[in-house]
């Protein structure tokens, strides 16, 4: 990325997709920018991540990493990987992801059609993206533990539909969706 806005988006996506520590020198070298340019861009990155209640933790001799809850990381992933005009094609939307997205949409459509449950087009697309992110994070061993079950939720029609969707996702993607993910 050459322009400041593009570099900021790149850095945010880099932190969101990295589990470990990133060293400033390595990032600057990868982006072909100076350390001072990186430092200036990181100020803006930190400001934007505050919106999602995320922060960049810096530890001397280790590097920097993203710190925050899984729920907030997924919100940021949704925004910076799926809801932006400046999508990094290599990072997310490769052929396998497009195929996965089609399979998820097909499962979702079959279940909501069968259950006569209606979603707006935007709601449908949002749910497909949410499921894609959940599957991507589950493959990395990242589980959203924010939502726990309670009787009113488990007895709801929406939860029963979610159970059916998850059963088909489990069968198709071999993901074994945890209870907290089903509740979410």
């Amino acid at each position: 990325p050459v322009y400041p806005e593009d570099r900021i988006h790149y850095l945010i996506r880099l932190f969101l997709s990295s589990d470990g520590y990133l060293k400033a020198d390595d990032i600057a070298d990868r982006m072909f920018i100076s350390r001072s340019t990186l430092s200036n861009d990181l100020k803006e990155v930190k400001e934007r991540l505050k919106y999602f209640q995320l922060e960049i933790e810096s530890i001397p001799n280790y590097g920097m990493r993203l710190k925050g809850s899984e729920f907030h990381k997924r919100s940021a992933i949704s925004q910076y990987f799926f809801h932006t005009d400046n999508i990094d094609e290599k990072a997310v939307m490769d052929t396998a992801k497009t195929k996965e997205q089609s399979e998820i949409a097909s499962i979702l459509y079959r279940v909501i059609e069968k259950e006569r449950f209606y979603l707006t087009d935007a709601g449908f697309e949002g749910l497909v993206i949410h499921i894609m992110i959940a599957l991507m994070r589950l493959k990395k061993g990242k589980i959203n533990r924010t939502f726990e079950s309670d009787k009113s939720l488990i007895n709801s029609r929406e939860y029963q539909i979610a159970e059916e969707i998850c059963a088909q996702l489990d069968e198709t993607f071999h993901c074994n969706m945890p209870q907290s993910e089903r509740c979410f």
Side-chain angles (χ1 to χ4, degrees):
V2 177
Y3 300 105
E5 188 65 21
D6 293 337
R7 288 194 309 265
I8 290 164
H9 280 250
Y10 177 86
L11 287 167
I12 290 171
R13 289 190 302 264
L14 179 64
F15 280 104
L16 287 169
S17 60
S18 299
D19 291 326
Y21 287 92
L22 301 168
K23 294 190 181 232
D25 288 334
D26 295 340
I27 296 170
D29 288 347
R30 179 190 289 188
M31 295 176 66
F32 303 105
I33 58 175
S34 69
R35 206 44 214 273
S36 63
T37 300
L38 176 63
S39 181
N40 287 333
D41 289 345
L42 282 173
K43 289 176 188 172
E44 182 62 26
V45 167
K46 290 175 183 179
E47 275 302 307
R48 292 188 188 187
L49 290 174
K50 278 184 186 177
Y51 175 81
F52 297 98
Q53 298 177 19
L54 298 171
E55 61 185 57
I56 295 177
E57 174 185 55
S58 184
I59 297 179
N61 299 323
Y62 281 95
M64 301 173 285
R65 71 175 179 172
L66 193 61
K67 186 177 174 188
S69 73
E70 181 65 19
F71 174 80
H72 292 116
K73 287 178 184 176
R74 289 183 187 192
S75 295
I77 289 169
S78 175
Q79 179 65 36
Y80 282 97
F81 281 95
F82 295 99
H83 295 293
T84 181
D85 293 334
N86 190 14
I87 297 174
D88 183 350
E89 296 294 328
K90 291 181 208 165
V92 175
M93 294 303 203
D94 60 9
T95 307
K97 291 293 180 202
T98 304
K99 183 176 184 258
E100 184 176 272
Q101 187 173 3
S102 296
E103 289 179 49
I104 292 167
S106 178
I107 289 169
L108 185 56
Y109 183 77
R110 282 193 312 267
V111 172
I112 66 172
E113 182 75 14
K114 177 183 159 223
E115 295 294 329
R116 294 187 188 325
F117 189 81
Y118 301 101
L119 292 170
T120 64
D121 289 345
F124 184 88
E125 276 303 308
L127 189 51
V128 169
I129 289 169
H130 164 76
I131 292 169
M132 283 184 65
I133 293 169
L135 290 173
M136 182 174 67
R137 299 296 286 173
L138 283 172
K139 287 177 188 171
K140 288 184 156 191
K142 307 292 182 184
I143 297 172
N144 186 357
R145 300 182 194 284
T146 307
F147 292 86
E148 297 301 325
S149 61
D150 63 30
K151 288 186 182 195
S152 64
L153 177 66
I154 290 179
N155 293 328
S156 71
R157 178 172 182 242
E158 289 84 0
Y159 183 81
Q160 299 310 315
I161 294 169
E163 279 288 323
E164 191 169 340
I165 292 167
C166 288
Q168 289 189 31
L169 290 169
D170 289 349
E171 186 177 314
T172 303
F173 297 104
H174 312 288
C175 60
N176 196 17
M177 194 76 67
Q179 179 72 25
S180 60
E181 294 286 350
R182 293 168 189 264
C183 291
F184 182 63

